[in-house]
Amino acid sequence: MLAYYQYRKRSFLVASKELLEQVQRFGAMIALLFQVYVFGAVATLFMGIGKIVQSDHPHTAVLMAWTLLTFQSFLFYVFRSAILDSPHRSYHSTILPNKRHMIVSDVLLTTAAHPLLFMSMIILIAIGVDKITQAWQLVWFTVTQFAFAVAFIYRPLAVTLSLVALAIVSAVIESLPLFLVLSYALLVISLLVSPKFVDFSMVVTSLRTYWLRYFSQNLNVVIWRIVFTMLVLWFGFTVKVERPDLITYYTPGLLVINLLWWSSIMIDLKPEVVGRVHYWKSLLMYPQVEKSAWLVGATVCGIASIVTLLMLGFSWASLIAVALTPMLLICAFRSTKHLLVAWLATFVLSYLPFI
């Protein structure tokens, strides 16, 4: 029995290391960003959880609760395979026939891979046992976090459907207790009515379906970028609410950071184009494939720019970053080092209007 738990721990660590290799490609950029923003990002997460305990506007607590549940679902989508040890799960019964230990391991690894749950518990500990009754909403939300996390590991589609429904609910209700009650009700309904498996396979008939199939088979390429983008937007939205006088100065930098995530997608698309150059040339399609890859990169960067500016507000300085997006895409397609230099130049140029 102990050997099985040790195996699950090692398989989780190995799989997690492999999943993070994409982020580690940008080692220099990630290190540079984290040295500057990691403490602010962590503080923003704690602040968001704190809004559930006390907020001037009840609707803010509801929106924060939905954001946190959605954010943790993105995280667990990335780590779900590592937690379940999906590639070798069919062999687990040969190590330990009792499925109870398999479920216990799943729950333990889910808890260990849940940073937001630990943050909520830290806040509860800081509040103290004597005052815990005053923060009962946070206790309830912490339990909800755990329930949604475990449910997502086994039934991701059901949790996703419940979160979509909760997005509509969060727009019309302002009571956090009512939101939490409805979250459990919608989760149970989704677990009962949604299918356990969905086949996303598609036949490639054009370049459009080729890229759709590529992303459906490599969703982690998009998911981790969405997670980092949400974190940046959450940080910016918090600044906008708490210090609206400073958001003008933050917006260009936050936009450039989001453009870093999405322009770097060209690094992932490059092997599909250059790595198969002879195949595409044999079909006389290489120029079209290359153009379609540029179109994909430009589209996702454009969407990221629009969403960022809509949420944080428009500024003329941000237009510099938008105008330099093609340079970021070109440099990303060449190499990570070129992207780093181009990104740093874009970051500096975006702040020239403030000098």
Side-chain angles (χ1 to χ4, degrees), residues 11 21 39 68 87 105 115 121 151 166 168 178 197 211 238 291 321:
S11 66
E21 283 183 356
F39 295 109
L68 288 166
S105 298
M121 295 177 66
L166 281 173
I168 301 173
L178 177 59
F197 304 101
W211 290 118
T238 304
K291 289 178 182 178

Side-chain angles (χ1 to χ4, degrees), residues 25-26 211 214-215 221 225 259-274 289-301 325-336 339:
R25 289 188 205 171
F26 310 108
W211 290 118
Y214 168 78
F215 285 114
V221 170
R225 289 180 169 90
L259 286 176
L260 168 65
W261 311 138
W262 292 103
S263 63
S264 67
I265 203 170
M266 297 303 295
I267 297 175
D268 295 297
L269 300 185
K270 184 177 180 179
E272 296 298 313
V273 179
V274 179
V289 172
E290 190 174 23
K291 289 178 182 178
S292 67
W294 291 113
L295 180 61
V296 170
T299 301
V300 295
C301 286
T325 300
M327 180 184 69
L328 292 174
L329 291 170
I330 294 171
C331 291
F333 195 75
R334 294 190 65 181
S335 70
T336 303
L339 176 59

Side-chain angles (χ1 to χ4, degrees), residues 172-194:
V172 297
I173 67 172
E174 296 188 353
S175 171
L176 182 61
L178 177 59
F179 173 83
L180 294 176
V181 170
L182 290 175
S183 67
Y184 279 105
L186 291 171
L187 178 61
V188 171
I189 293 172
S190 298
L191 289 172
L192 292 175
V193 303
S194 65

Side-chain angles (χ1 to χ4, degrees), residues 55 73 76 112 185 189 233 276 298:
S55 177
S73 297
F76 281 109
I189 293 172
L233 292 176
R276 302 184 179 184

Side-chain angles (χ1 to χ4, degrees), residues 29-40:
M29 291 179 284
I30 296 298
L32 177 63
L33 285 175
F34 276 16
Q35 287 175 6
V36 179
Y37 290 102
V38 67
F39 295 109

